Amino acid sequence: MNTQEAIKVTESRQQETIDFKINNNQIEIQALVQNCAQFITPVWPLETFIACNPLHGFESMPFEEAIICSEALLKKSSDNERLKAVNLQMIKWCGAFLDAGQGTINLPHSEKGFYFGFLKLAPFDKQLHQNQKDLKDWLSALPESAELAIKRCLDDLHVTKGEHESFIKETFFHLPGWAGFVKWRSERKSDTDTESKPVNLTDFLAVRLIITRLLWPEAAQKKK
């Protein structure tokens, strides 16, 4: 084997290692989201609203303990302006994507999924990047994989691996209605609107964490 061939073999092995790490990260994030999602109560749309157990995901616990755990996740800081700002932007984007035909125009790229559409349009949203070059550059450099975007945001927010699950659960419960609706949609396969505007909790979490990273970079340190 000559030098050139050896270089190609080395590069190929390095790429295989990179691909393995990326794939492994995606699998880990998917498993993490799935595990956290079991505590989210599905929320039906208003026209077909069905009452659900508000302690969904806590059924294995004694009732009193389930109440305490549920309240802990739902508890919000009413005086936290950063959290309010993140919630407001998340509601805006969810509403634009899941408007069910009320809007005068469809959100561009919505047929390719919530995260993909957000990824393409967020750089034009001044309310997110506030015209700051570093934030614009950060947005533009985000990966096309929602899982890898979640990983990057968790790293940038300085969420340790041991805190990933608790932080993601809390993130979902900041807007339990929207999270529950996304869960319901993602579990409902035979629906024209669902197919034309695909969304799942991984996309939802990725968008939420990106907005958090932009508007509330200290979110993970608020209790420290």
Side-chain angles (χ1 to χ4, degrees), residues 127-186:
Q127 292 180 330
L128 294 181
H129 55 66
Q130 303 153 66
N131 271 335
Q132 295 183 30
K133 186 179 183 302
D134 58 330
L135 297 183
K136 286 183 179 180
D137 292 343
W138 185 84
L139 267 174
S140 300
L142 285 169
E144 292 196 358
S145 162
E147 291 88 353
L148 296 182
I150 290 170
K151 177 68 168 59
R152 181 171 298 180
C153 288
L154 290 172
D155 290 343
D156 286 0
L157 290 167
H158 305 293
V159 183
T160 64
K161 193 164 186 177
E163 296 173 324
H164 280 181
E165 185 169 329
S166 61
F167 186 77
I168 289 174
K169 284 180 183 177
E170 184 177 342
T171 297
F172 278 139
F173 275 82
H174 283 317
L175 288 176
W178 279 111
F181 182 54
V182 169
K183 181 178 183 179
W184 173 81
R185 274 182 60 105
S186 65

Side-chain angles (χ1 to χ4, degrees), residues 80 82-83 86 157 170 174 208 211-220 222:
N80 191 323
R82 294 290 189 95
L83 174 57
V86 173
L157 290 167
E170 184 177 342
H174 283 317
R208 172 81 196 200
I211 295 174
T212 301
R213 162 65 177 80
L214 293 170
L215 302 182
W216 191 20
E218 310 87 4
K222 63 185 182 301

